[in-house]
């Protein structure tokens, strides 16, 4: 089970991760934070994360761009 927290409706909980649905199971908002165990991630998603990390650059042009 993956943990999630929706920033739109505030729903928190656990659900079975579905890589085709990156949205809140309650309200459907895409503004959801997921906390997946690495062993729960589909290999395809891990590949995408590894690629993103390898291409990441320092975000020093937006030092305060978070809420
Ligand atoms: Zn929600």
């Amino acid at each position: 089970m993956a943990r999630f927290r929706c920033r739109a409706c505030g729903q928190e909980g656990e659900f079975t991760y579905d890589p085709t649905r990156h949205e809140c199971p309650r309200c459907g908002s895409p503004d959801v934070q997921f906390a997946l165990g690495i062993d729960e991630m589909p290999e395809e998603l891990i590949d995408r994360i590894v690629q993103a990390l390898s291409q990441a650059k320092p975000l020093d042009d937006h030092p305060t761009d978070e809420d």
Side-chain angles (χ1 to χ4, degrees):
M1 299 291 276
R3 294 193 58 80
F4 78 94
R5 189 165 76 115
C6 178
R7 300 207 295 183
C9 72
Q11 177 77 14
E12 279 186 71
E14 294 189 338
F15 75 119
T16 302
Y17 180 68
D18 178 350
T20 68
R21 280 194 71 203
H22 271 271
E23 60 191 32
C24 175
R26 181 186 181 196
C27 74
S29 169
D31 194 8
V32 181
Q33 296 178 315
F34 292 100
L36 278 180
I38 192 82
D39 55 336
E40 294 180 278
M41 290 188 189
E43 236 174 85
E44 184 186 309
L45 180 62
I46 294 174
D47 284 349
R48 277 168 48 193
I49 291 171
V50 169
Q51 274 189 14
L53 288 176
S54 69
Q55 293 168 7
K57 293 173 184 166
L59 296 173
D60 53 6
D61 57 340
H62 295 290
T64 60
D65 191 11
E66 57 180 303
D67 48 48

